[in-house]
Amino acid sequence: MAASTPVNLTYKTCRKLNKKVLRCRKYLETSENLIIYDNPTKILCVQNGGLGNSVSREDILEIFSQYGCVQDIIMIPRKPYCFVCFDNCDSSLNAKKKTTGYLLREGIDPSQNVVLYPFFVSQAASYVCPVTDLPSGLVLVKDFITADMEHELLKIINFDGDSRDAGSSLKHRQVKHYGYEFNYEINNVDPRKPLKEGIPEICHEFLKQALDSKLIACMPDQLTVNQYLAGQGIPPHVDTPSAFEDGIVSLSCGSQVIMDFRHPDGRCISVLLPRRSLLVMCGESRFIWSHGITPRKTDIVSLASGGLTLVARETRTSFTFRKLSPTAGVILKKNELCSLPTTDRQAMALENQHVHQVYEQIGAHFSDTRYKPWPQIAQFLLAQEPGSLFMDTGCGNGKYFGINKNIFEIGSDRSEKLAAICRERRFQVFRADVRAIPVRDGAVDVGLCIAVIHHLSTENRRKQAVQELIRILRPGGSVLIYVWAKEQEKDRCKSKYLKENKQPIQECSSPQEPSDSKQHKELPHGDDSGQEELSMMCSNDAGVKIVSHFTPKPENNVEGEVSVSAAEKSKIADTGDRGNQHLTSVPGAMNNRFPDTQKTSILQVHINRTDFKSQDVLVPWQLQKARVKKGQQELTNSTSSHETLHRFYHVFEEGELEKLCAGVNGCIIEKSYYDQGNWCVVLRKM
């Protein structure tokens, strides 16, 4: 970095500088919704001093600390500005005078110079300053407990001691668990190992109050206490959907804090959690929005007068109460036992675990397998008029961009990993959910949605996705939709997906859905012997065994665990002679472990390169990890270099896609056809 020097403010440059100041001010006021004050405030918004300009917090601190006590510096992801917070207005006034037009970094040419322009601010953007409009499903109750109750709660928490139950120290905070321990290595709970200490008795009174007032639907059985010192935080995350029921409860004690909520479509909302307040996350705020705490020592808080003030953080202790779900602790290597959702909340949880999280893990590997456009999709794009605006919803790695050089292209994908790959390839792509596309009505001339809708787990959610695709089209615009077909053989001709089963296989890393075009070398699974798990076997016609696991219950186990008798083990072993079929549930034991399964069906793990036996399945993806080379030989350990993940699919039966689209208002089916194991439609907006 070049040495920081002030711009020489001669009479020749003064007028030019004033124009730049006015231009920056207009940008912050109109584009970022900031209110700029002419009179001094304690907070400066420094244009061109943000992460979006590759400026670090240390760079800003070095410059502005010369002019007074800097209480905090807030850097905003991907933004070209930051906030510098002083302890008094005189310091901020002095800093503004001395740093307006300050040359922080000199570029190759003057247009690449990084010059600072600070402004007094009174209202920060929503992702910095707390707002009153909360994410859907989020409830905040202020002063939920008394000061005396807060004092008693903090007094009983002891993070000292040698036993594991006494607590542990993570990188950014102290943690203690009650009821059950949350294992951060696997992000799950083992329900077979309850802790000696249950939820403290003192908590039962206000938890019952929350239950009676319908803030929560069930009494929690697990408590995690986190203690944050001033300046500590926690990265954005979603509490493991399979481990806990809907309804996460967090009680803040000792200090206020601002919690940041982020939606996959890019929305960011900062919520002030006052001391002694209760936060309840349900629905979208529980399963869709991630939440986290930015590590800093102060928070920018709105005043009733409309201005801003700085509030110093103190030691904060959060009490997070959760209820273990029936699938808590079920972490299976070959099979993920879960039910087909019956509610929208269950659907969100299923898709988050078996679609969204999987694609974040396999993004790079997935992209390596997608490079060749399908011919009929390419023909559709080449037939579009020059100058058309084309949007690929669920664009993956962007393999359908660039086919027609005469149209404008934008795209979206739910996976941040895949969206980042597109951006690296210089494609105009943003992150969004197919059910909530952040594009105005009628903005797009032509759309594409390939291999996306079959990842939605209920008919209503699939219909919502089609409705969104139609909404963003202009009248007369068209969209091409592909979904995976249950029928992988049509007119006595097998799809490529089945034809590629040239030899007996166990699992394949890539099913031949519309985005597939590259074969993968089949790799054997590792030896699972020695694990204390019950193996359920079924075999294909070639006699290759497919192994799946779940953890059985010993005879004298805790309530709710699975107990498998010798007779039931015998029944499971018999399934090995039933030919090419899906895994079936264990009689009796399954309903004990998963009480909801009597009403809902257990999702089956599909055997790749075989016909589908069910419409709603989990499809294996074998993730190839890094390999180690030694000399000219490549050493690969199949148990450690490969990991099998499972993606949810709803494969469509013949006529089902047309029926789904016919139920969407404002469009007609212009064309429908079958293409290599996929059902396809072209919809035109009326």
Side-chain angles (χ1 to χ4, degrees):
M1 178 178 291
S4 300
T5 56
V7 175
N8 184 18
L9 298 179
T10 65
Y11 71 96
K12 295 181 179 180
T13 60
C14 186
R15 186 176 178 181
K16 186 176 181 180
L17 176 62
N18 288 336
K19 287 184 177 180
K20 289 184 178 179
V21 169
L22 291 175
R23 191 181 304 124
C24 291
R25 177 169 180 161
K26 184 177 180 181
Y27 162 75
L28 293 173
E29 289 179 329
T30 59
S31 300
E32 300 300 312
N33 298 318
L34 296 176
I35 297 177
I36 306 300
Y37 264 28
D38 293 323
N39 295 325
T41 66
K42 295 181 182 180
I43 305 169
L44 289 176
C45 177
V46 184
Q47 175 64 16
N48 294 338
L51 297 174
N53 295 83
S54 300
V55 177
S56 69
R57 187 180 188 278
E58 289 71 23
D59 296 333
I60 297 297
L61 179 62
E62 181 181 354
I63 296 169
F64 284 88
S65 60
Q66 304 174 49
Y67 307 107
C69 178
V70 176
Q71 289 193 325
D72 204 358
I73 296 174
I74 301 173
M75 311 296 289
I76 313 299
R78 299 182 295 276
K79 292 293 184 179
Y81 56 83
C82 69
F83 293 91
V84 180
C85 311
F86 288 93
D87 64 347
N88 62 77
C89 293
D90 290 339
S91 296
S92 64
L93 176 61
N94 188 29
K96 183 179 185 301
K97 290 180 179 178
K98 297 295 181 62
T99 59
T100 297
Y102 194 94
L103 179 61
L104 176 64
R105 184 172 61 237
E106 192 171 2
I108 299 175
D109 58 72
S111 65
Q112 296 178 324
N113 290 349
V114 176
V115 182
L116 304 182
Y117 300 98
F119 299 91
F120 299 122
V121 294
S122 171
Q123 182 177 342
S126 61
Y127 42 79
V128 178
C129 186
V131 296
T132 55
D133 295 332
L134 303 180
S136 176
L138 194 69
V139 177
L140 179 63
V141 182
K142 298 179 181 178
D143 295 318
F144 188 75
I145 61 172
T146 64
D148 291 340
M149 174 67 77
E150 177 189 38
H151 177 74
E152 292 298 319
L153 282 171
L154 295 175
K155 190 168 64 173
I156 66 170
I157 302 301
N158 176 24
F159 289 98
D160 299 325
D162 297 327
S163 68
R164 188 173 185 179
D165 286 0
S168 59
S169 178
L170 298 181
K171 183 178 180 180
H172 300 294
R173 63 193 189 280
Q174 289 281 98
V175 178
K176 183 174 175 64
H177 303 285
Y178 295 86
Y180 298 89
E181 181 181 14
F182 186 81
N183 188 332
Y184 293 98
E185 293 182 358
I186 60 174
N187 286 328
N188 215 316
V189 175
D190 189 345
R192 300 170 304 175
K193 299 178 180 179
L195 298 175
K196 295 178 181 178
E197 292 185 84
I199 294 178
E201 190 69 27
I202 191 175
C203 301
H204 292 179
E205 179 182 345
F206 61 79
L207 287 176
K208 187 177 185 303
Q209 178 185 345
L211 189 64
D212 293 341
S213 58
K214 301 187 184 307
L215 289 173
I216 56 177
C218 52
M219 185 62 73
D221 55 10
Q222 194 273 338
L223 166 62
T224 297
V225 181
N226 291 283
Q227 188 176 86
Y228 303 86
L229 301 179
Q232 293 182 330
I234 185 171
H237 66 283
V238 175
D239 286 36
T240 307
S242 63
F244 304 107
E245 296 282 5
D246 192 12
I248 305 295
V249 181
S250 180
L251 181 69
S252 296
C253 294
S255 176
Q256 54 75 39
V257 76
I258 286 182
M259 182 171 284
D260 301 315
F261 288 83
R262 292 179 173 84
H263 193 278
D265 63 12
R267 283 178 287 164
C268 299
I269 295 179
S270 296
V271 179
L272 175 64
L273 308 184
R275 188 172 177 176
R276 296 188 291 278
S277 66
L278 189 76
L279 183 74
V280 183
M281 292 179 280
C282 293
E284 285 194 14
S285 65
R286 156 76 174 100
F287 295 113
I288 301 299
W289 293 75
S290 67
H291 60 279
I293 298 173
T294 303
R296 55 177 180 252
K297 294 186 177 182
T298 59
D299 287 318
I300 299 178
V301 178
S302 297
L303 296 172
S305 61
L308 299 176
T309 187
L310 287 177
V311 178
R313 289 185 186 176
E314 300 176 40
T315 298
R316 173 179 175 266
T317 305
S318 70
F319 294 74
T320 301
F321 300 90
R322 298 174 286 204
K323 172 70 174 177
L324 267 63
S325 74
T327 55
V330 181
I331 303 175
L332 310 177
K333 293 192 175 181
K334 309 290 190 302
N335 187 13
E336 298 279 357
L337 297 177
C338 55
S339 300
L340 189 64
T342 58
T343 67
D344 202 50
R345 289 179 179 180
Q346 293 174 358
M348 286 189 289
L350 172 65
E351 292 164 20
N352 184 67
Q353 181 179 4
H354 287 290
V355 181
H356 307 154
Q357 292 184 21
V358 173
Y359 276 102
E360 293 303 330
Q361 290 181 262
I362 71 174
H365 184 201
F366 180 86
S367 178
D368 290 342
T369 70
R370 271 65 179 170
Y371 66 94
K372 185 178 180 181
W374 280 40
Q376 294 203 54
I377 300 175
Q379 291 174 13
F380 173 79
L381 294 175
L382 290 170
Q384 304 307 315
E385 296 182 3
S388 298
L389 177 59
F390 158 61
M391 178 168 180
D392 188 351
T393 303
C395 60
N397 66 354
K399 77 172 186 176
Y400 287 109
F401 290 138
I403 293 175
N404 188 337
K405 305 292 186 182
N406 299 315
I407 60 178
F408 297 99
E409 301 170 327
I410 60 173
S412 69
D413 201 278
R414 178 61 175 75
S415 168
E416 175 58 33
K417 183 78 70 175
L418 292 173
I421 291 173
C422 286
R423 289 192 287 267
E424 289 174 0
R425 297 176 177 181
R426 316 293 286 184
F427 299 141
Q428 300 296 315
V429 171
F430 53 89
R431 189 182 181 198
D433 193 294
V434 67
R435 295 170 53 250
I437 306 172
V439 173
R440 64 177 173 83
D441 296 359
V444 176
D445 296 308
V446 58
L448 203 62
C449 187
I450 307 299
V452 175
I453 295 177
H454 55 213
H455 284 309
L456 300 174
S457 54
T458 67
E459 182 179 0
N460 185 54
R461 294 168 72 80
R462 294 188 285 270
K463 184 177 179 181
Q464 290 172 353
V466 177
Q467 188 70 69
E468 271 292 274
L469 295 171
I470 296 302
R471 179 188 64 78
I472 65 174
L473 283 178
R474 64 164 175 80
S478 60
V479 59
L480 174 60
I481 301 173
Y482 266 57
V483 296
W484 213 1
K486 185 173 186 289
E487 301 83 358
Q488 289 296 307
E489 182 174 346
K490 187 173 175 59
D491 300 328
R492 297 185 179 182
C493 180
K494 291 184 178 181
S495 70
K496 189 178 180 182
Y497 172 64
L498 295 181
K499 286 180 180 178
E500 288 172 347
N501 187 9
K502 298 178 181 179
Q503 58 183 0
I505 57 176
Q506 296 182 29
E507 290 180 357
C508 171
S509 60
S510 175
Q512 186 67 21
E513 56 177 281
S515 297
D516 291 352
S517 56
K518 183 177 180 180
Q519 279 295 91
H520 300 277
K521 182 180 179 181
E522 302 307 332
L523 296 160
H525 290 296
D527 181 12
D528 290 312
S529 61
Q531 297 186 14
E532 297 180 359
E533 296 174 318
L534 176 65
S535 297
M536 295 191 298
M537 304 287 189
C538 67
S539 59
N540 59 19
D541 293 331
V544 178
K545 293 181 178 179
I546 309 298
V547 183
S548 184
H549 303 281
F550 72 93
T551 306
K553 165 191 171 187
E555 289 300 322
N556 298 319
N557 59 358
V558 297
E559 183 179 356
E561 291 290 328
V562 178
S563 178
V564 183
S565 65
E568 289 169 338
K569 293 180 181 180
S570 177
K571 290 179 182 179
I572 295 168
D574 289 340
T575 62
D577 299 321
R578 295 180 184 176
N580 185 11
Q581 58 179 288
H582 295 279
L583 297 177
T584 56
S585 60
V586 181
M590 189 66 68
N591 289 334
N592 290 334
R593 181 65 182 86
F594 302 96
D596 293 333
T597 56
Q598 293 180 352
K599 298 181 180 180
T600 57
S601 58
I602 294 294
L603 289 174
Q604 313 272 316
V605 173
H606 173 61
I607 303 174
N608 269 318
R609 308 301 183 192
T610 67
D611 285 310
F612 291 101
K613 306 301 181 183
S614 176
Q615 281 192 268
D616 298 288
V617 294
L618 297 175
V619 177
W621 176 283
Q622 198 173 77
L623 179 63
Q624 297 180 10
K625 298 182 180 179
R627 297 181 178 183
V628 179
K629 290 185 177 182
K630 184 177 181 180
Q632 298 299 319
Q633 288 188 327
E634 190 177 56
L635 305 178
T636 303
N637 185 325
S638 61
T639 60
S640 61
S641 61
H642 300 87
E643 178 183 2
T644 301
L645 305 172
H646 296 91
R647 295 175 293 167
F648 170 81
Y649 282 84
H650 172 83
V651 289
F652 282 66
E653 292 181 334
E654 184 172 4
E656 183 181 355
L657 181 58
E658 290 91 333
K659 182 180 178 181
L660 179 72
C661 296
V664 174
N665 296 327
C667 68
I668 58 173
I669 300 175
E670 189 172 80
K671 180 182 179 181
S672 63
Y673 58 96
Y674 178 89
D675 185 12
Q676 278 296 326
N678 301 276
W679 293 115
C680 325
V681 295
V682 177
L683 303 181
R684 186 168 296 278
K685 187 170 182 176
M686 297 167 54

